[in-house]
Amino acid sequence: MATDKDIEKERYEQRAVEVLEVGGALPVLGAAGVPLELRRPYLRFEELVGTTVRENDHVLDMRCGAGQFSFVMAAAGARVTGLDLSATSLELAGRRCPEQMLGRVNWIEGDCEKLPFEDESFTGVTCVGGLSYGDWTLVLDEMIRVLRPGGWLIAVDSYNHHPIYRFNRWLHRLRGRRTVSVNQRIPSRCWLALGRERFASLKVEYYGVFSFLAPLLRPLAGDERTARWLDRWDTCSCTPCEWAFKIVVKAVK
């Protein structure tokens, strides 16, 4: 019987195959490829990468998928290893790699619950949208194991305390677009607590409390104004940050 991990792997394999069949066209890489009203946490991720990465740092981009954000670290000067369970996604990432970065990025098929690397192999770990694809304790312990002393984690992911977003994720599960375990493992206060137990410091920022309003606002106000309003509302003192749609985490070992 197929496990949730098998199902998710096959889902991403099929997505990559579909793109490869039409030529694997190069998308807009990094945060610029994210819809405008959802872009701010990804821009913050890129900002943190830009101020943290040093020339020739060795960075693991965990659960890298087709590599949309792997090139962000390479552009900042790092040597990047992109890891994913889907071999076809990695093939697509390799085809999309900008020519000037070919010598700075390599791709490894592997499981984030059991990283195929020696202890203290990396200066940093990045993860964009992949923290829910493995057992929290196993993945966090593996991150700590492969990070050098003083190494860092920078991640952006969903957060699981807003009732509307939780309901939408439940609908996705009913429609076969998510597995039960992925829904259950979306980062929460419990994940943050486990992270703080393992890292010497962990800071979190919250984004997108009102992102669910975007489909209603966009026809009335347009993309740019909708994004500005949603970003501004996030910064209001009365906004319940625990109901965020996305979080950005920076932790140091």
Side-chain angles (χ1 to χ4, degrees):
M1 182 176 179
T3 66
D4 281 1
K5 187 178 292 187
D6 295 330
I7 293 169
E8 293 293 346
K9 178 181 178 179
E10 181 61 23
R11 188 195 319 281
Y12 284 96
E13 288 274 300
Q14 287 301 314
R15 288 182 186 177
V17 166
E18 290 169 6
V19 178
L20 285 168
E21 285 176 348
V22 295
L26 187 70
V28 179
L29 296 175
V34 178
L36 192 60
E37 70 271 12
L38 304 176
R39 192 174 297 173
R40 188 161 163 253
Y42 299 92
L43 289 172
R44 178 58 175 156
F45 168 86
E46 292 186 354
E47 180 183 11
L48 287 172
V49 166
T51 57
T52 303
V53 169
R54 297 293 178 262
E55 190 73 21
N56 291 320
D57 278 357
H58 193 185
V59 177
L60 170 63
D61 189 22
M62 196 180 71
R63 273 276 311 156
C64 67
Q68 182 174 354
F69 285 87
S70 303
F71 310 114
V72 173
M73 285 67 74
R79 294 177 294 117
V80 181
T81 296
L83 176 131
D84 201 272
L85 202 59
S86 166
T88 312
S89 294
L90 295 176
E91 179 185 350
L92 179 56
R95 292 198 189 186
R96 288 173 165 176
C97 185
E99 185 175 353
Q100 68 272 24
M101 297 181 188
L102 286 173
R104 304 195 69 86
V105 185
N106 68 91
W107 313 102
I108 300 289
E109 183 179 352
D111 190 339
C112 59
E113 293 183 340
K114 192 174 182 180
L115 296 175
F117 308 109
E118 295 183 0
D119 296 356
E120 300 183 3
S121 297
F122 295 96
T123 314
V125 173
T126 57
C127 188
V128 178
L131 296 174
S132 58
Y133 289 86
D135 177 89
W136 289 348
T137 299
L138 293 176
V139 174
L140 283 165
D141 286 346
E142 282 293 272
M143 287 183 191
I144 291 294
R145 181 181 67 79
V146 301
L147 278 172
R148 299 167 188 164
W152 45 265
L153 163 70
I154 301 174
V156 57
D157 215 309
S158 299
Y159 198 55
N160 208 27
H161 292 290
H162 196 305
I164 291 177
Y165 300 134
R166 287 172 64 94
F167 177 71
N168 188 56
R169 289 163 189 147
W170 177 76
L171 289 179
H172 278 299
R173 181 171 68 81
L174 288 183
R175 293 167 179 164
R177 298 173 186 169
R178 286 180 184 268
T179 54
V180 173
S181 65
V182 167
N183 262 3
Q184 291 173 338
R185 291 168 175 168
I186 291 171
S188 64
R189 286 187 292 267
C190 294
W191 186 93
L192 293 174
L194 290 171
R196 289 188 173 106
E197 289 175 2
R198 288 160 173 78
F199 287 92
S201 69
L202 186 150
K203 296 180 180 179
V204 58
E205 301 173 10
Y206 302 88
Y207 297 89
V209 172
F210 301 102
S211 292
F212 67 93
L213 294 174
L216 300 176
L217 294 173
R218 207 182 299 116
L220 301 173
D223 292 347
E224 292 188 7
R225 189 176 297 175
T226 295
R228 284 200 305 271
W229 287 351
L230 294 177
D231 291 345
R232 190 177 304 140
W233 295 342
D234 272 346
T235 63
C236 292
S237 59
C238 59
T239 297
C241 64
E242 283 287 301
W243 281 16
F245 179 39
K246 299 288 181 180
I247 56 172
V248 176
V249 173
K250 182 175 181 182
V252 179
K253 180 176 174 180

